[in-house]
Amino acid sequence: MSSIKQVKAVDSSTARRIQLKLEQPVQGINALDLQGSGDKDHVVVAGRNVFKIFKVEDNRFTEKMDLRVGKINLNLSCTDVVWHPSQAHILASCATNGAVLTWNLENMRRSKQDKVLTDHSQTVNKVCFHPKEPDIMYSGSNDQTVRSFDLRQPAETACVAVFKAQDRVRYVEYDPHHYFNFASATEAGNIMIWDSRRTDKYILQYTTHFGPTFGIAWHPDEKNKLATCGRDKSIKIWKWDGYSLIQEHVINTFAPVSNIKWRSQKKYHITSCSLNIDRSIYIWDVRRPFIPLALFEEHKDVVTGLAWREDAQTFISGGKDSMLIQHVFKDGKKPEQDASPVGVGMNIYGTICQAVSRHAFKPDTASSSYQNTRRPMSFQKHDTVPLTKDFESKIFVYDTIDDKFPEIFLETAKGYKLRGVPFEQLCEHNAKIAQSLSRHQVAQTWLMLKTFYTESSSTIKKPVPTFGKVTILETTKGLGESEKDLSKATDKKLSLTTLGGLDSTTGITSDESQSDSELDPSNSTFVQTNHKDNQHQQGGFFYQESDDDDEYGEIQGTDGQDDFDLPSEAVQQRHELIDRPLSPTLSRDRSRPESPISTEETEVSNAVISKLSETVIPSYKSNFSGLQLMARYQPIIVDMLKFYAEQGDVQMSVCALIVLQDRIEGEIDDEMQEHWFTSYIDLLHRFKLYTCANEIIKLSKLEKVESMNQLSTIIYTKCNRCQHDLATCGWACSNCNLHTNTCSVCHLPVKGLYVWCQGCSHGGHLSHISDWLKDNKTCPTGCGHLCEYV
């Protein structure tokens, strides 16, 4: 038995907040329920390794019974537990292994377990009793079935009916006002209403949430009204008219909702807790869905169970933090008391609406840019049910004076070009569009972008790399006397690796073509590539290999005259060798003599480097100057884009980013770009420019923006006769074996445009339906649904 730590009561009044901490090894509470009859002062809590009954006293919880006794197995790993509505000694629980168990607290044995029902093959998520038949119980499981059990029968034959759903069943709840009806919620987001007398067909299937539906709550006082909750962060209130569900209220929450309960004796109040992230419990008034009536933040982890007591002022909750708490309504935080008494809203056309509480109202002083064009409206909301206070406020509507923003935004979005032509033409076209709308600053910005990036592109030349070695030959033709003396000392080949192989004036590599200067024999230097095909003849020079073993061969000009002297010695004298250590010394001063270089080699190297500096390096200097120019005005472009965004003109910032493409890549962080893109796309959607918005999404290089048009692209269809989902074929129903696209007016198959009502699923030819609804408000099939043709 786990140890229990009792916490002192907080409040000393009649209704007190009580909390109890279940110490380790308890791993959280999965479900709880209050006693449905008798004294109604007992609560049962169940979880993976806890199954206990506590009595709720004035200032504490007192443990009365531990049901985890005897042989411990997976049957005691509970996912849900309920108390019988009319018999205080009967309990039911379900487990992760598919077992459904009933418990009899009056059993004289140590173990109170009564029956073990193993008809389900997968985890059972919910179990409930029939509100009027004490021996009938229902359970919903991941095996896509809802099973009905007769507890009067032996466990082997207790399952008397199987209702097959189309997905995993997450919740089952019996209608307290209809003897034969119950509802189930599936993981696909559908609500299925069943008649317990028909196992082959549900009465209604309706998609209520995008994603799994986690809970159902029939209203305890009003017939045909129920609430649902799901992963899509919403609570929805529905009215069932016998044919379809009509949505009455929607409450948007902060996180996915896992459990909901109506508040006792309060017609419009509903309680909710979250599936994850949010640890608070909220009480909502469905008539005011935007702000909760009260919230409770005592739990330190996710809340999993809720149950209201009969006094409507206290309720009990349990969570994954192993805390069992009794909350008092008056102790909850009231967000409305901290809410602002003033509300302001603006539409896409610049109209401002201001709502002011009566207590915060002061005489209005109209600004110079807005004028009050409508008479102030004051209203007072009264309800048939007495409230704590009346809702009273004043509303003022203001229209802007000569506001042309909508027209300018529309024309700009439709007229801008963002791709398809060169960069210069895009800037010129967009500048003309802005100029035609009298947006002179924007037009000038486009022209500046064109000027900046066009000039930088023409300044920067990308060198084409060449590979291999070139042979630089010095001739004496056209040289001065001192240069001739130098050429005599350098009468041999000199191999160098080119820096880029680029001519400073033409930008053409020596491997691809030759300039006129290379063909002129009067020049002192020419470049020869080490290709075999160029070894014999190039330009005005003839290359002839010598017949002897001379390393250098013979070089002649076009006039056949020799311009240099033959070497006097067969073997040139080498420079003097200087002895040095075989290995460097290990001392701190590791000075070693430099490699000896002859005076002739030094003079040749200086002459070659001087000539290369005159031909190759100037091209790199020009490239570097272009890069310097781009780096200089790049921050200016970034500041310009941020300036337009801060002024509210995200249209200019986004369009400029798309046109610039990689020219400004990495200068603005992705988070800021994503904010600009989403804001602009939202504006386009508000103005119903869906094509323009889709183009912006496609041109974006941000992953989150690119995926925006890939969401919510599935349309779920169902048969307009039997309401069965069309999973395999869109024009024929596999359940009733009939065509689904017959016209509700002429009863013939529709070939071409087909219009249908999303409420009742009936439709037909576009012309027939439009003509019918001109004179009629209800569906032509006679189903009674009020169809609307837009």
Side-chain angles (χ1 to χ4, degrees), residues 545-786:
E545 298 178 358
S546 80
D547 297 333
D548 54 6
D549 295 336
D550 187 5
E551 180 184 359
Y552 305 104
E554 181 181 359
I555 301 178
Q556 294 179 345
T558 55
D559 53 0
Q561 297 181 359
D562 296 338
D563 292 331
F564 58 91
D565 297 332
L566 293 175
S568 59
E569 298 291 339
V571 178
Q572 296 291 335
Q573 183 179 2
R574 298 184 62 182
H575 57 77
E576 183 181 1
L577 297 178
I578 302 176
D579 294 336
R580 57 183 177 179
L582 297 178
S583 60
T585 61
L586 299 178
S587 62
R588 182 170 300 179
D589 184 12
R590 297 187 178 184
S591 60
R592 53 183 289 179
E594 298 180 354
S595 299
I597 302 176
S598 64
T599 305
E600 296 177 357
E601 291 179 350
T602 303
E603 294 176 352
V604 172
S605 300
N606 293 337
V608 171
I609 292 174
S610 176
K611 183 59 66 175
L612 287 175
S613 65
E614 297 175 359
T615 57
V616 179
I617 295 178
S619 64
Y620 287 89
K621 288 183 178 180
S622 63
N623 289 353
F624 184 71
S625 63
L627 293 173
Q628 281 184 324
L629 179 62
M630 179 179 293
R632 183 180 304 171
Y633 60 71
Q634 199 83 306
I636 301 176
I637 304 301
V638 174
D639 292 340
M640 178 270 295
L641 296 178
K642 293 181 179 180
F643 168 78
Y644 279 110
E646 290 172 358
Q647 296 298 318
D649 189 3
V650 291
Q651 186 180 48
M652 177 60 189
S653 300
V654 171
C655 294
L657 276 176
I658 295 175
V659 172
L660 289 173
Q661 295 182 354
D662 297 336
R663 296 173 178 85
I664 199 171
E665 185 177 4
E667 298 293 334
I668 303 176
D669 58 278
D670 292 345
E671 184 177 356
M672 182 176 293
Q673 292 187 45
E674 181 183 341
H675 177 66
W676 293 353
F677 271 91
T678 53
S679 300
Y680 183 42
I681 292 170
D682 181 62
L683 281 174
L684 293 173
H685 285 168
R686 288 173 180 268
F687 282 98
K688 300 183 180 180
L689 298 177
Y690 303 110
T691 303
C692 296
N694 192 51
E695 182 180 3
I696 296 297
I697 293 173
K698 290 193 297 183
L699 293 177
S700 172
K701 295 183 179 180
L702 302 173
E703 183 178 355
K704 292 184 179 180
V705 179
E706 286 180 336
S707 61
M708 291 178 65
N709 57 1
Q710 305 299 323
L711 304 176
S712 302
T713 57
I714 300 176
I715 298 178
Y716 297 95
T717 57
K718 57 184 178 180
C719 179
N720 55 4
R721 292 186 178 85
C722 65
Q723 307 296 320
H724 190 273
D725 286 345
L726 302 177
T728 57
C729 182
W731 54 270
C733 179
S734 60
N735 186 50
C736 58
N737 296 323
L738 295 174
H739 288 281
T740 59
N741 62 337
T742 56
C743 180
S744 300
V745 178
C746 65
H747 304 288
L748 296 176
V750 179
K751 297 180 180 180
L753 291 178
Y754 182 86
V755 61
W756 79 97
C757 175
Q758 299 183 18
C760 63
S761 301
H762 298 128
H765 293 94
L766 179 61
S767 58
H768 292 174
I769 298 299
S770 60
D771 293 341
W772 173 269
L773 293 179
K774 287 180 182 178
D775 303 323
N776 303 275
K777 295 182 179 180
T778 58
C779 180
T781 59
C783 69
H785 187 264
L786 298 177

Side-chain angles (χ1 to χ4, degrees), residues 70-105:
K71 184 178 180 181
I72 304 300
N73 52 31
L74 289 178
N75 292 342
L76 300 178
S77 180
C78 300
T79 57
D80 188 37
V81 62
V82 293
W83 217 302
H84 198 284
S86 58
Q87 299 180 12
H89 63 282
I90 299 295
L91 295 171
S93 65
C94 53
T96 56
N97 62 348
V100 179
L101 291 81
T102 59
W103 306 80
N104 189 348
L105 302 182

Side-chain angles (χ1 to χ4, degrees), residues 160-210:
V160 294
V162 179
F163 304 86
K164 295 183 178 180
Q166 298 176 355
D167 208 330
R168 295 181 178 181
V169 180
R170 302 301 299 262
Y171 208 89
V172 177
E173 187 76 12
Y174 219 97
D175 187 352
H177 306 290
H178 293 83
Y179 188 86
F180 297 106
N181 295 344
F182 68 92
S184 64
T186 66
E187 196 157 317
N190 297 327
I191 289 292
M192 305 175 73
I193 298 179
W194 301 84
D195 188 325
S196 59
R197 296 167 296 183
R198 289 191 60 182
T199 60
D200 58 332
K201 182 62 181 176
Y202 46 79
I203 301 175
L204 173 69
Q205 176 176 307
Y206 198 87
T207 302
T208 56
H209 294 274
F210 296 101

Side-chain angles (χ1 to χ4, degrees), residues 303-314:
V303 180
T304 54
L306 297 170
W308 276 96
R309 304 192 71 181
E310 285 190 335
D311 58 0
Q313 298 299 320
T314 58

Side-chain angles (χ1 to χ4, degrees), residues 19-64:
Q19 61 184 22
L20 178 142
K21 174 68 174 179
L22 302 180
E23 298 293 347
Q24 297 297 334
V26 176
Q27 300 179 3
I29 299 172
N30 290 338
L32 62 84
D33 195 23
L34 278 170
Q35 190 176 18
S37 61
D39 296 334
K40 299 184 179 181
D41 57 354
H42 287 73
V43 59
V44 57
V45 296
R48 182 178 178 181
N49 57 353
V50 60
F51 200 171
K52 296 181 178 181
I53 297 176
F54 295 92
K55 182 178 182 180
V56 184
E57 298 182 353
D58 293 339
N59 57 356
R60 63 176 181 174
F61 290 105
T62 303
E63 181 180 343
K64 291 298 183 181

Side-chain angles (χ1 to χ4, degrees), residues 438-589:
S438 299
R439 304 182 70 189
H440 306 293
Q441 182 180 5
V442 176
Q444 189 66 24
T445 302
W446 283 112
L447 295 178
M448 290 174 63
L449 290 176
K450 173 195 170 185
T451 304
F452 284 158
Y453 288 98
T454 304
E455 287 183 357
S456 64
S457 300
S458 61
T459 303
I460 300 176
K461 298 179 180 179
K462 296 182 180 180
V464 181
T466 58
F467 304 94
K469 296 182 177 180
V470 298
T471 302
I472 298 179
L473 302 178
E474 298 288 342
T475 64
T476 59
K477 187 174 182 179
L479 299 179
E481 294 299 329
S482 60
E483 293 174 337
K484 287 183 179 180
D485 296 338
L486 178 61
S487 66
K488 293 179 181 179
T490 59
D491 187 18
K492 59 180 180 179
K493 291 183 180 180
L494 183 61
S495 294
L496 296 175
T497 303
T498 60
L499 298 176
L502 187 71
D503 189 86
S504 62
T505 57
T506 61
I508 304 176
T509 61
S510 59
D511 288 344
E512 296 176 353
S513 63
Q514 296 172 344
S515 64
D516 295 338
S517 62
E518 293 172 348
L519 299 177
D520 189 359
S522 63
N523 288 348
S524 61
T525 305
F526 71 91
V527 182
Q528 175 198 357
T529 59
N530 282 343
H531 295 295
K532 186 175 181 180
D533 297 339
N534 297 333
Q535 287 179 355
H536 296 286
Q537 184 174 359
Q538 182 172 356
F541 289 87
F542 176 74
Y543 293 73
Q544 180 181 2
E545 298 178 358
S546 80
D547 297 333
D548 54 6
D549 295 336
D550 187 5
E551 180 184 359
Y552 305 104
E554 181 181 359
I555 301 178
Q556 294 179 345
T558 55
D559 53 0
Q561 297 181 359
D562 296 338
D563 292 331
F564 58 91
D565 297 332
L566 293 175
S568 59
E569 298 291 339
V571 178
Q572 296 291 335
Q573 183 179 2
R574 298 184 62 182
H575 57 77
E576 183 181 1
L577 297 178
I578 302 176
D579 294 336
R580 57 183 177 179
L582 297 178
S583 60
T585 61
L586 299 178
S587 62
R588 182 170 300 179
D589 184 12

